[in-house]
Amino acid sequence: MFGKFGDIKNKAGAMKDRLANTVIEKELSGIKVSMNGTKNLTSLHIPDLYLEPSRKEELEQKLIEVIGEAGKEADGIMKKELGALAGPLSGILGF
């Protein structure tokens, strides 16, 4: 019985590594973000045209949108990974 828990722990560790090494890239109006599967933002590019004070509010809104899209994709990847880890229990657990 404890061997199964060790197997699950190893699979969970491998899943965590896969998620950390997954790269999600999104772009909106020249603003580019990269995020890994654990939802850590790994890079951000903002074109110079958005650095003008008059475009501050527009920049903020676009950042919210593009980071949100990357986060949604990361959630989908994480859900798929958890479903694979849960195996036959995935339906019961909601994955």
Side-chain angles (χ1 to χ4, degrees):
M1 179 170 177
F2 290 110
K4 289 183 181 184
F5 289 117
D7 187 42
I8 291 171
K9 183 178 178 183
N10 289 338
K11 287 180 180 180
M15 179 189 74
K16 183 178 176 185
D17 290 343
R18 282 192 305 277
L19 289 171
N21 291 314
T22 298
V23 178
I24 300 161
E25 295 177 330
K26 293 291 180 183
E27 187 264 333
L28 175 66
S29 302
I31 299 169
K32 299 175 185 175
V33 298
S34 294
M35 179 181 286
N36 67 19
T38 58
K39 298 177 88 172
N40 289 316
L41 196 60
T42 57
S43 72
L44 173 64
H45 170 76
I46 301 170
D48 290 341
L49 67 104
Y50 289 109
L51 300 179
E52 298 175 22
S54 63
R55 300 196 74 175
K56 180 181 183 288
E57 191 173 307
E58 180 183 3
L59 171 62
E60 291 170 344
Q61 185 59 43
K62 290 193 183 299
L63 282 170
I64 289 168
E65 288 178 41
V66 74
I67 292 170
E69 286 299 315
K72 286 178 188 175
E73 188 170 328
D75 286 342
I77 292 168
M78 194 177 304
K79 186 174 181 178
K80 183 179 174 183
E81 287 283 340
L82 286 170
L85 179 65
L89 297 175
S90 61
I92 296 168
L93 298 173
F95 299 118

